[in-house]
Amino acid sequence: SMEQGYPSSVGFSEGRLIWAGDDHVWASVSDAYESFDETTEGDSAPLLRALAIGGRNSVEWMLNLQSLLVGTDSRLLTVRANSLGDTLTPTNFNVVPLSKVGSSTLSPVDLEDNRALFVERAGVSLYEISFQPYPISSYTATQFSQLNAELFSNGITELAVSMMPDQRIWVVTDGGDACCIVNNNAEKVVAFIPIA
């Protein structure tokens, strides 16, 4: 509502419609996307939770990989059950901070191999989210554009990915410049190609 505010992001995860915003997550009854009925009991009941990770975290986007990733203006979080493979329920719900890198409002792009790219809060750098199985199973965020920072100094306004014939990431900046990033994770090849 106008008084309580509106969600800033929407997504699907584990058979639930999820709304998020203003440091809160609202997930529907399991397999009932239009129902947020708080009288529903058991594991299928809706999830109505605060993120509550050190201060206020305004949700900018959500992305469902192996777990639900949440980009806020102050940090990157994952919302998951206690154990790997368990399903989110009202009694099995954890919010785990992954990184203190804030996110911009641009939606991230889902890459192959359980990875994603997002634009950090200032809008001038790309960060890669990747799953690291060792020493503990978790996602990490590392700066992807560190060696090519000058390409995005005007601020990133658009981010997209195409998967065929090979993976290409498309970045448009506020100055109207563009960059094509050819990325082959298996071969450890990344090429930044400015487009004038």
Side-chain angles (χ1 to χ4, degrees):
S1 71
M2 290 288 287
E3 293 178 3
Q4 295 178 327
Y6 296 99
S8 56
S9 185
V10 63
F12 291 94
S13 183
E14 299 184 12
R16 297 176 187 268
L17 171 65
I18 301 177
W19 296 97
D22 196 26
D23 207 30
H24 285 80
V25 173
W26 302 272
S28 70
V29 172
S30 183
D31 294 325
Y33 300 135
E34 295 180 3
S35 176
F36 291 81
D37 184 2
E38 294 181 55
T39 62
T40 305
E41 296 181 356
D43 289 346
S44 66
L47 307 170
L48 312 171
R49 298 292 183 90
L51 294 174
I53 300 289
R56 197 163 195 82
N57 298 284
S58 177
V59 176
E60 304 295 352
W61 50 260
M62 291 184 289
L63 179 67
N64 192 38
L65 294 179
Q66 279 190 351
S67 60
L68 181 65
L69 298 172
V70 178
T72 75
D73 61 349
S74 62
R75 63 189 73 219
L76 180 65
L77 311 169
T78 183
V79 175
R80 60 182 175 87
N82 294 330
S83 302
L84 213 58
D86 285 353
T87 303
L88 283 174
T89 69
T91 58
N92 196 354
F93 181 98
N94 271 340
V95 177
V96 179
L98 299 178
S99 169
K100 289 194 175 182
V101 177
S103 300
S104 79
T105 58
L106 287 175
S107 295
V109 291
D110 189 352
L111 307 176
E112 60 192 0
D113 303 328
N114 203 23
R115 298 176 307 124
L117 278 184
F118 72 96
V119 180
E120 52 76 41
R121 185 176 182 185
V124 295
S125 297
L126 293 172
Y127 275 76
E128 179 181 25
I129 305 166
S130 59
F131 187 75
Q132 304 296 322
Y134 302 105
I136 57 171
S137 296
S138 180
Y139 283 95
T140 61
T142 55
Q143 191 168 359
F144 186 77
S145 60
Q146 183 172 357
L147 300 177
N148 294 280
E150 73 285 350
L151 290 175
F152 310 123
S153 60
N154 287 336
I156 299 170
T157 58
E158 306 250 355
L159 184 63
V161 65
S162 58
M163 303 305 280
M164 293 301 226
D166 48 25
Q167 187 175 83
R168 295 177 187 184
I169 300 152
W170 304 92
V171 184
V172 178
T173 66
D174 193 35
D177 297 325
C179 182
C180 174
I181 305 170
V182 178
N183 182 24
N184 186 326
N185 192 49
E187 299 292 330
K188 304 292 185 208
V189 172
V190 178
F192 288 74
I193 306 166
I195 301 170

